[in-house]
Amino acid sequence: MDDHFPPDEDVLELPESLREDLHTRRGGVLPPGPGITGRAEGKVAPGETVDPGAADVLAKLIEEHRDHIERVLSARTSRPALVGHARAYLAGEDDPAGAGAILMAVDRVRTGKYDTARIFTDGWIAARGPAFAACAFAEKSAVAYSLNDLRPLPADATPNLQPWSLRRVRGLLAFCGEDEYERAVERLAAHRRTRVMRLIVSYLVPTRHDWVDECCAEPPADDRYGEGKYRDLLWASLGTPRQLELLGGWRLEESDFGPFSFGLRATMADGVGPAIAPVLVDAWDRLKVYKLWREGLVELISLLPSDEAFELLLERYEREHARKHMLAAMERFPVRAVRVLSKVAASGSPSAFLAAGLLHAHLKAHPELSGPPPSPRLPEAPAERVPEVLTGPGKAPRLPAYADPDALPQVLLKGGGEALPADATRRLIALAKKPHEGLEAVRDACDRRSLADLGWALFLHGDAWALTALGRLGDDRTARDLAELVPGWADRGTRARAVKALDAIAGIGTAEARARLDDLARTSPHDAIKKAARERAAELARPIRATKGENA
């Protein structure tokens, strides 16, 4: 934990929108009270108890299916050991293996009735407590899903899980008394024979970090119809940064994002803490996350109370949703914002210009905060040295707040020593928004590297026009930097943006820009990108515009 900033900057606070689908853990973030739909999905509120009458409801359901149960138990192919457990449970003995077997038999004959597992869950808890229910669900995972007999699940088969019932048992264990919880942990130790049973037990009592460690050493594969069905169990069990190391190359995949996994990422953050940031950012970088869930992922990264998470978000500021949540993170963690932005602004990294601009605005909005001394700036050039197109009469155009010239790199005139005045910089930004014949005179009069730096700083703020403007302000380094971004944009499904980047590279118009387009035309795995890059490279095969005085 960091200890050099206010305590509230070291606390993970999840809004209700992210707590809503949390897989509750003992000692973790509290969820809001679930509604009707939430209860059907296994969500539990603090202090919730099971209706004592649930035991009678379960007894009635078992009696209704007694004939079918007897046929299954008497089947020639039923395994005697399982039959013995089942009969012991029916006779009133404390036998979780038998309880799991009877649930499987009834659930199989009631196919299409979605309340079976819930009736068993609450009935077991009402009659014998959550520790028994937890053990019964672990044992059920070792029973084959069969209508006609009771057999152990083959080693290479996937169990029939009831994720909402598991979630309910986990929630009730999270809020039960200490004695009951310790009893559950003690009993579950005897129900971890198979890999899947170990996953289920770890999910139900994730405070046993040593058990979760074992599961991390053999994580489920990314197989939608096989092991992928219980990847969620392991993700929701994680509780220490060390477990991320044990997972090695195991990471979030597209199969981990679905309609019933809204709360999984928040659960991971609740368990692991800020160290989960690289895992979430890796998914953001690699995967085509459905738009409905993408903003929640970005928001969660912005909530993580660590310098690492803050900087990772800053590096992706130009992406969809990032600016909104980066600005919110700066207000949530004002001291951290000064520290990280100051470091990045002085680093010379691709995000340095952005960090300097955000830091300027942040300190202006929070004069009570102490920041580094401002970098020295060159004197403004007299009007006669400024290109005429930038010295027009009247008020300078209104621009977004981030386009404050004091927060942007200065544009230097050729020869060094002087920079464009603030009003001239504002007019330049307005001109760069769309093609303008006067820009050629600006390029001739100004240092191209500083023009490109201005364009890149604007682009990093994420507005669409600034990407296009790079084609009018950029240089060879801009072409290279943009070309590096194109593959990731295309992979994540933002191909329209990738094509606009190709337009900007073509707009730079130099031999280096053409070389970047040729490279993308050869190497991109996306046909649309290949075709667009090839077309723009062909256009540049005509006269190449030399970049006068460029500092590539």
Side-chain angles (χ1 to χ4, degrees):
M1 294 288 185
D2 294 324
D3 58 8
H4 53 287
F5 52 89
D8 57 336
E9 294 210 6
D10 198 25
V11 176
L12 174 65
E13 293 186 4
L14 297 175
E16 185 169 326
S17 59
L18 291 177
R19 288 187 292 117
E20 203 167 46
D21 294 293
L22 205 65
H23 293 243
T24 309
R25 70 170 50 235
R26 194 170 185 82
V29 173
L30 294 179
I36 294 174
T37 302
R39 292 182 187 283
E41 295 172 355
K43 299 174 188 176
V44 175
E48 183 171 329
T49 58
V50 170
D51 181 354
D56 293 335
V57 174
L58 173 57
K60 182 180 178 183
L61 179 65
I62 291 175
E63 190 58 37
E64 286 174 1
H65 295 282
R66 179 69 75 162
D67 291 344
H68 169 73
I69 292 171
E70 188 55 42
R71 282 194 298 272
V72 168
L73 298 182
S74 302
R76 184 174 54 82
T77 53
S78 288
R79 296 295 178 89
L82 266 180
V83 171
H85 284 297
R87 291 198 184 282
Y89 169 69
L90 291 173
E93 294 183 27
D94 187 291
D95 195 315
I102 295 300
L103 166 55
M104 183 65 82
V106 175
D107 187 43
R108 188 65 181 86
V109 79
R110 293 184 89 230
T111 298
K113 302 288 181 65
Y114 298 107
D115 61 347
T116 305
R118 174 62 181 264
I119 292 172
F120 270 82
T121 302
D122 284 10
W124 287 338
I125 292 171
R128 301 177 182 274
F132 179 88
C135 296
F137 272 111
E139 289 294 337
K140 176 186 171 294
S141 72
V143 182
Y145 191 59
S146 171
L147 177 64
N148 301 311
D149 58 10
L150 281 181
R151 289 176 284 110
L153 184 76
D156 59 347
T158 303
N160 175 250
L161 300 178
Q162 264 99 19
W164 292 344
S165 290
L166 290 175
R167 186 174 185 173
R168 178 164 174 75
V169 174
R170 169 173 160 140
L172 291 168
L173 284 171
F175 298 128
C176 72
E178 193 62 34
D179 289 345
E180 182 64 34
Y181 187 77
E182 288 302 322
R183 186 179 305 116
V185 173
E186 184 179 344
R187 291 199 63 173
L188 283 166
H191 300 276
R192 303 177 62 250
R193 297 185 306 279
T194 70
R195 182 170 170 229
V196 176
M197 291 174 79
R198 288 191 289 275
L199 279 166
I200 289 173
V201 168
S202 292
Y203 172 80
L204 293 173
V205 288
T207 55
R208 278 299 301 259
H209 296 316
D210 54 334
W211 291 351
V212 180
D213 289 352
E214 288 180 44
C215 295
C216 289
E218 46 176 358
D222 178 28
D223 173 6
R224 177 177 293 182
Y225 300 105
E227 294 189 354
K229 292 183 178 179
Y230 41 86
R231 288 172 62 89
D232 285 10
L233 298 179
L234 182 52
W235 283 123
S237 302
L238 300 181
T240 68
R242 167 181 152 75
Q243 287 161 359
L244 298 179
E245 298 174 11
L246 293 173
L247 288 172
W250 199 70
R251 52 189 184 172
L252 286 166
E253 303 294 349
E254 289 185 14
S255 62
D256 295 315
F257 291 82
F260 300 114
S261 65
F262 289 115
L264 185 60
R265 265 68 61 191
T267 302
M268 293 159 60
D270 182 31
V272 177
I276 201 68
V279 175
L280 301 178
V281 171
D282 172 69
W284 187 20
D285 287 347
R286 284 185 302 109
L287 305 178
K288 295 178 184 175
V289 180
Y290 181 47
K291 188 172 184 178
L292 184 64
W293 308 314
R294 196 179 305 144
E295 183 172 4
L297 178 63
V298 178
E299 180 185 13
L300 180 57
I301 295 167
S302 78
L303 292 167
L304 296 174
S306 74
D307 289 11
E308 179 184 38
F310 193 99
E311 191 167 343
L312 288 169
L313 183 59
L314 176 68
E315 291 169 358
R316 291 153 181 81
Y317 189 87
E318 87 288 348
R319 295 190 193 172
E320 184 182 24
H321 307 304
R323 178 166 65 180
K324 168 184 172 183
H325 292 293
M326 182 80 251
L327 296 176
M330 289 167 59
E331 292 303 309
R332 186 180 304 111
F333 308 123
V335 177
R336 171 175 286 116
V338 172
R339 183 174 60 255
V340 178
L341 292 173
S342 298
K343 183 188 83 170
V344 176
S347 69
S349 73
S351 301
F353 294 135
L354 170 66
L358 291 174
L359 178 62
H360 175 86
H362 188 58
L363 292 173
K364 192 173 179 180
H366 294 280
E368 74 280 5
L369 297 174
S370 298
S375 301
R377 291 173 76 85
L378 293 176
E380 295 184 350
E384 61 268 19
R385 290 260 292 142
V386 176
E388 186 177 352
V389 71
L390 303 180
T391 60
K395 192 174 180 180
R398 294 188 64 181
L399 296 168
Y402 64 78
D404 178 356
D406 289 339
L408 294 169
Q410 286 184 295
V411 176
L412 310 184
L413 295 175
K414 282 184 177 174
E418 294 177 328
L420 290 180
D423 281 353
T425 301
R426 291 188 182 92
R427 291 190 176 92
L428 170 57
I429 294 170
L431 288 182
K433 285 188 170 186
K434 54 187 177 181
H436 192 285
E437 58 184 13
L439 281 174
E440 194 62 41
V442 175
R443 283 192 289 262
D444 288 340
C446 295
D447 171 70
R448 287 302 302 276
R449 177 70 264 165
S450 65
L451 271 176
D453 287 346
L454 173 69
W456 193 258
L458 293 168
F459 156 71
L460 289 173
H461 283 277
D463 281 346
W465 67 266
L467 174 56
T468 307
L470 284 176
R472 295 182 271 278
L473 300 176
D475 62 1
D476 283 355
R477 191 170 78 181
T478 308
R480 291 192 292 271
D481 290 344
L482 269 182
E484 289 179 4
L485 294 174
V486 168
W489 288 345
D491 289 345
R492 290 189 295 275
T494 53
R495 293 187 188 178
R497 195 171 197 209
V499 171
K500 283 185 178 180
L502 298 178
D503 288 334
I505 295 171
I508 292 170
T510 63
E512 177 66 21
R514 181 186 169 189
R516 296 305 102 216
L517 291 170
D518 283 337
D519 184 57
L520 289 167
R522 285 195 313 273
T523 61
S524 176
H526 302 280
D527 290 341
I529 301 302
K530 273 187 166 180
K531 181 174 181 289
R534 191 163 45 245
E535 289 172 352
R536 285 150 184 79
E539 292 170 7
L540 285 186
R542 303 176 189 111
I544 294 292
R545 185 179 77 214
T547 306
K548 300 177 182 178
E550 179 178 63
N551 230 351

